[in-house]
Amino acid sequence: MLRGFGDLEAEIMDRLWSWGRPATVREVVDDLRGQRPVAYTTVNTVADILHTKGWLRREKVGRAWVYQPTCTRESYTAQLMHQALETTSDRAGALLHFVDRISGDEATALLAALEEVKARDDAR
């Protein structure tokens, strides 16, 4: 079962997604400390947990692990949306409520995505 990230997990993932490159725990800690105090060991433990959960891949560079997300922010968000839809027996109703609350720009993006999926299905 997919669940949302905890606060520190989300902060770590947000930085790694935003940076778009692998990073060490030290880099994450240094950036987080610009916002609030945080211990290196705490961030290291949470990064290891995210790796164990499959959200981060890591590679040893010298003596440090370098972490990188295993999926994009958009892919993660889509997984959360699918999970939310699975909680109801009335998916059409849930989608209607969702669409009723999106902006015009989001509706345009949704229509474009639906057209892309339809064109891909028609090509099969």
Side-chain angles (χ1 to χ4, degrees), residues 45-67:
T45 298
V46 174
D48 185 58
I49 290 168
L50 287 166
H51 172 260
T52 300
K53 290 179 178 180
W55 294 111
L56 294 177
R57 70 176 59 91
R58 68 183 180 189
E59 179 182 335
K60 195 81 157 179
V61 176
R63 292 179 31 205
W65 289 110
V66 177
Y67 290 90

Side-chain angles (χ1 to χ4, degrees), residues 1 4 15 17 27 42 54 83 93 114 116:
M1 172 185 263
R15 278 158 176 77
W17 279 323
E27 291 174 287
T42 302
Q83 178 187 7
L114 290 170
E116 185 178 319

Side-chain angles (χ1 to χ4, degrees), residues 10-85:
E11 288 182 81
I12 292 168
M13 293 300 295
D14 182 58
R15 278 158 176 77
L16 293 173
W17 279 323
S18 296
W19 294 341
R21 61 171 175 78
T24 64
V25 169
R26 172 55 55 205
E27 291 174 287
V28 175
V29 168
D30 289 347
D31 195 61
L32 283 168
R33 284 185 178 160
Q35 313 276 294
R36 63 182 178 93
V38 63
Y40 177 92
T41 54
T42 302
V43 176
N44 191 58
T45 298
V46 174
D48 185 58
I49 290 168
L50 287 166
H51 172 260
T52 300
K53 290 179 178 180
W55 294 111
L56 294 177
R57 70 176 59 91
R58 68 183 180 189
E59 179 182 335
K60 195 81 157 179
V61 176
R63 292 179 31 205
W65 289 110
V66 177
Y67 290 90
Q68 182 174 354
T70 58
C71 68
T72 64
R73 183 190 314 262
E74 294 75 19
S75 175
Y76 170 72
T77 301
Q79 290 177 56
L80 287 177
M81 293 167 72
H82 279 283
Q83 178 187 7
L85 275 177

